[in-house]
Amino acid sequence: MNSFVHKTLVVQLQAGDTDRFSVLAHLSYDAADPFAVTVVFSHDGRVLARWQLDREMLGDALRRPVGVGDVRMRPQARGMWQELRLEFL
């Protein structure tokens, strides 16, 4: 069994009501910290932000809105696409 899992995705970043632009999101899970998923957002080789998210909260957010305070997540339909919207305040 893998004790470390990593996936890189192209995601859309939106600040306020501005247009979206593409950035890379590097998601990783390490069994040494079983309750967290680390997300590193980067663009043009520069790290924009690094967040550690609660793994259970992330899974719940695929089905319903979760979170209070600085981190909120919710599923969102955009046309024919289903998205997971993450809000960092």
Side-chain angles (χ1 to χ4, degrees):
M1 179 178 193
N2 287 341
S3 62
F4 184 81
V5 179
H6 181 265
K7 180 72 175 174
T8 299
L9 303 169
V10 176
V11 300
Q12 299 292 310
L13 178 65
Q14 180 179 354
D17 293 331
T18 64
D19 292 333
R20 294 175 170 210
F21 67 96
S22 297
V23 298
L24 293 178
H26 310 276
L27 289 88
S28 58
Y29 168 80
D30 188 344
D33 188 2
F35 301 109
V37 173
T38 300
V39 184
V40 178
F41 297 97
S42 66
H43 182 67
D44 287 339
R46 294 184 345 200
V47 172
L48 303 173
R50 177 184 312 263
W51 284 80
Q52 289 224 251
L53 304 174
D54 179 279
R55 183 177 60 103
E56 186 173 328
M57 183 178 171
L58 190 58
D60 289 346
L62 296 171
R63 295 180 301 281
R64 62 179 176 81
V66 297
V68 294
D70 291 343
V71 179
R72 298 178 189 151
M73 298 178 240
R74 70 179 187 275
Q76 181 174 346
R78 292 183 58 86
M80 63 185 269
W81 302 103
Q82 283 284 23
E83 294 183 352
L84 176 60
R85 187 167 191 90
L86 291 89
E87 297 174 355
F88 303 110
L89 307 171

